[in-house]
């Protein structure tokens, strides 16, 4: 009994000293604790604990632990009516119910849309029209052409042209080869004959060289010229980068395949 009385007196002294030091703070704490313990008498169904006057922080989650964002998304989906899964399922069912003619018409419309999109994308990779560089090639006799052709096959130094086609890097490599050799072989595999002739004229215009021979519609032998001097900028201004040339080649390939697909569908119809 004596020990409990001593403890009670000690606690009472501590409380009295705290009240004397800062009575306003203690009163505020009591008010907050009473407001938390007592049930809210306001008309609102969910009392706002995040009001700036109470000093509370409201969390962005519901009573079940789900975020408010997920709740809003679900409500939006219900209001919109159909989810992306349901739309896909409906499209699949429509395709199954179609006849052969309807399917062909649907695929033709889709192919035409793809062609329009690809043409729109290819417009980005069109180069601006600049004044063409003055290309005045030297006139070589047939004997000289034959001699340079033999030199070209004997040297065996070559520049490969891949899927990207002709871009700035190909012309740069040609100039680097011409630093040590008079001729260079440009290997163009997996290209049609008409395309290789166009590439030969383009390389001659961009590099300032002379086309000696096109062998087996695969290799182009280029001669630098007797009065050749290496330019400061090895890459011409009006050319694409390797990345852009690759994207352009992909889009062109896709365009050709879509055009063939359209022809096939039209024949079937």
């Amino acid at each position: 009994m004596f020990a409990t009385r001593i403890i009670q007196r000690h606690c009472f002294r501590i409380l009295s000293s705290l009240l004397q030091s800062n009575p306003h703070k203690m009163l505020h704490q009591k008010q907050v604790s009473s407001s938390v313990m007592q049930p809210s008498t306001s008309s609102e169904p969910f009392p706002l604990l995040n009001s700036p006057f109470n000093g509370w922080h409201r969390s962005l989650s519901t009573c079940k632990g789900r975020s408010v964002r997920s709740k809003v998304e679900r409500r939006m989906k219900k209001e919109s009516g159909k989810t992306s899964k349901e739309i896909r399922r409906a499209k699949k069912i429509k395709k199954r119910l179609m006849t052969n003619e309807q399917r062909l018409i649907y695929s033709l419309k889709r192919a035409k849309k793809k062609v329009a999109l690809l043409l729109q994308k290819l417009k980005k990779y069109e180069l601006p029209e600049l004044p063409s560089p003055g290309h005045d090639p030297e006139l070589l006799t047939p004997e000289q052409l034959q001699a340079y052709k033999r030199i070209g096959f004997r040297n065996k130094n070559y520049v490969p042209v891949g899927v990207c086609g002709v871009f700035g890097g190909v012309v740069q490599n040609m100039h680097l080869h011409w630093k040590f050799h008079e001729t260079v072989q440009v290997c163009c595999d997996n290209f049609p004959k008409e395309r290789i002739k166009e590439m030969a004229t383009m390389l001659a215009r961009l590099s300032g060289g002379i086309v000696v021979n096109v062998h087996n519609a695969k290799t182009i032998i280029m001669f630098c010229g007797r009065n050749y001097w290496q330019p400061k900028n090895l890459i011409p201004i009006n050319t694409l980068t390797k990345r852009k040339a690759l994207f352009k080649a992909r889009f062109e390939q896709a365009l050709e395949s879509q055009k063939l697909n359209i022809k096939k569908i039209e024949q079937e119809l």
Side-chain angles (χ1 to χ4, degrees), residues 59-77:
S59 61
L60 289 167
S61 62
T62 57
C63 56
K64 291 181 181 179
R66 293 169 187 166
S67 63
V68 175
R69 195 175 288 172
S70 65
K71 205 173 181 182
V72 171
E73 281 174 2
R74 281 180 187 178
R75 199 180 291 167
M76 289 279 282
K77 280 176 184 177

Side-chain angles (χ1 to χ4, degrees), residues 127 164 166-169 235 239-247:
L127 293 164
C164 302
V166 177
F167 61 98
I235 299 167
T239 51
L240 294 168
T241 58
K242 191 177 182 179
R243 184 183 170 78
K244 286 181 179 179
L246 181 63
F247 281 119

Side-chain angles (χ1 to χ4, degrees), residues 108-118 262:
L108 198 140
K109 282 179 181 177
R110 199 176 174 187
K112 281 179 179 177
K113 277 182 183 178
K114 280 182 181 179
V115 166
L117 276 167
L118 287 164
I262 287 162

